[in-house]
């Protein structure tokens, strides 16, 4: 069921989303060669708890950490570990959420680790910009397919591919709510967006083909062809005139 948030609910989501965005900014400051993804997880956990919030991902459907940390060919849902040490030239996708007063914020970024290749930097840049191309169409009365199609068109125009098996989602009292928000689709199709809806738009983009596989830990999603992948996500609010990004 798709929910339209009240003013008081939206204010709670703004708070949770700000905590999420601020936690990502803090984690970014610690990304460098030699750091483990477990260290980054602890930084996020400690910050979120200090804000009087709880990490949305921790124990969600059994997930054992506060962030998803996915380097290089890992698309999403990488489990932080002391054994995963960042090295020069890596890219790392960090996905996290925070829950405050019963409402969630959710966001993701992909960061360079030291000096990276031109191709990797282009992937990061295109993935981020595809989000902004998509939300140009995230307005009251527009169709969800307009958002999805704009993301896909921008990504493919730049020679990359959009992951099909994983999509964005509605968000609010639950971290995952209706509707699903694909990063591919057709203009003029899908449900009509309405002011008061809150959704997480999250392009996941591969250098190679869009196929993915799930690893033996039953969480980590990796590109099927081993190519690099990047992720960019924000929680947004649909308004009468445009949309408001809550997690920046």
């Amino acid at each position: 069921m798709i929910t339209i948030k009240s003013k008081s609910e939206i204010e709670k989501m703004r708070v949770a989303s700000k905590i999420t965005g601020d936690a990502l900014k803090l984690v970014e400051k610690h990304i460098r060669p030699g750091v483990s993804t477990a260290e980054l997880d602890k930084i996020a956990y400690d910050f979120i708890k200090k804000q009087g919030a709880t990490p949305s991902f921790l124990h969600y459907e059994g997930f054992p950490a506060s962030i998803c940390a996915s380097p290089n060919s890992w698309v999403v849902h990488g489990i932080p570990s002391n054994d995963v040490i960042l090295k020069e030239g890596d890219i790392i996708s960090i996905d996290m959420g925070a829950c405050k007063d019963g409402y969630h914020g959710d966001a993701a970024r992909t960061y360079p680790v030291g000096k990276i290749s031109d191709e990797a930097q282009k992937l990061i840049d295109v993935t981020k910009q595809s989000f902004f191309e998509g939300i140009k169409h995230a307005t009251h009365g527009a169709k969800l397919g307009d958002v999805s199609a704009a993301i896909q068109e921008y990504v493919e125009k730049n020679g990359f591919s959009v992951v099909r098996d994983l999509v964005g989602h509605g968000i609010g009292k639950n971290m995952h709510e209706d509707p699903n928000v694909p990063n591919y689709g057709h203009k003029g199709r899908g449900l009509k967006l309405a002011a008061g809806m809150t959704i997480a738009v999250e392009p996941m983009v591969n250098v190679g083909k869009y196929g993915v596989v799930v690893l033996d830990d039953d969480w980590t999603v990796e590109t099927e062809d081993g190519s690099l992948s990047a992720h960019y996500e924000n929680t947004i609010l649909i308004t009468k005139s445009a949309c408001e990004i809550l997690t920046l």
Side-chain angles (χ1 to χ4, degrees):
M1 182 178 70
I2 297 169
T3 61
I4 302 298
K5 279 33 174 218
S6 66
K7 288 184 178 180
S8 63
E9 288 177 308
I10 289 167
E11 287 308 310
K12 289 178 180 178
M13 290 201 65
R14 283 198 179 101
V15 172
S17 295
K18 185 178 189 306
I19 293 169
T20 303
D22 288 347
L24 274 169
K25 291 171 186 173
L26 179 62
V27 167
E28 180 182 12
K29 293 178 181 178
H30 292 82
I31 292 175
R32 61 182 182 273
V35 171
S36 74
T37 54
E39 291 175 77
L40 301 178
D41 182 68
K42 186 177 188 308
I43 289 164
Y45 174 85
D46 289 346
F47 177 83
I48 291 170
K49 295 295 285 186
K50 283 181 181 178
Q51 312 312 307
T54 57
S56 298
F57 292 9
L58 186 59
H59 308 311
Y60 180 78
E61 295 187 353
F63 190 76
S66 299
I67 67 171
C68 298
S70 308
N72 300 322
S73 62
W74 291 6
V75 181
V76 286
H77 304 160
I79 299 173
S81 170
N82 288 314
D83 297 327
V84 180
I85 310 295
L86 301 184
K87 63 183 185 299
E88 186 85 14
D90 285 344
I91 62 173
I92 177 78
S93 296
I94 304 293
D95 187 4
M96 72 171 75
C99 183
K100 175 85 170 176
D101 295 330
Y103 288 82
H104 295 266
D106 187 9
R109 310 279 186 266
T110 301
Y111 303 110
V113 183
K115 183 175 176 55
I116 63 173
S117 69
D118 291 344
E119 180 181 59
Q121 187 61 59
K122 180 183 177 184
L123 174 67
I124 291 173
D125 294 342
V126 168
T127 304
K128 177 178 179 178
Q129 187 59 35
S130 72
F131 165 85
F132 287 99
E133 294 297 320
I135 66 165
K136 290 176 182 177
H137 306 274
T139 58
H140 177 78
K143 293 294 185 71
L144 185 57
D146 297 340
V147 178
S148 304
I151 291 170
Q152 181 183 10
E153 180 180 343
Y154 184 80
V155 168
E156 293 179 351
K157 181 177 69 177
N158 281 278
F160 298 137
S161 61
V162 172
V163 173
R164 308 295 181 91
D165 291 5
L166 300 152
V167 297
H169 51 90
I171 185 170
K173 285 186 177 179
N174 299 301
M175 192 168 65
H176 291 99
E177 299 181 349
D178 291 333
N180 285 337
V181 183
N183 299 302
Y184 63 95
H186 300 280
K187 296 176 183 178
R189 296 187 185 178
L191 67 87
K192 185 179 289 188
L193 299 174
M197 290 177 59
T198 48
I199 58 177
V201 179
E202 52 177 317
M204 289 155 274
V205 178
N206 298 346
V207 166
K209 296 180 180 180
Y210 61 73
V212 297
V213 294
V214 180
L215 302 187
D216 290 342
D217 62 14
D218 292 328
W219 279 106
T220 306
V221 179
E222 185 172 28
T223 57
E224 191 171 35
D225 58 12
S227 64
L228 292 177
S229 186
H231 187 192
Y232 189 87
E233 173 186 20
N234 283 299
T235 297
I236 68 170
L237 166 69
I238 307 300
T239 71
K240 286 289 187 181
S241 58
C243 74
E244 177 184 347
I245 304 173
L246 302 181
T247 44
L248 280 182

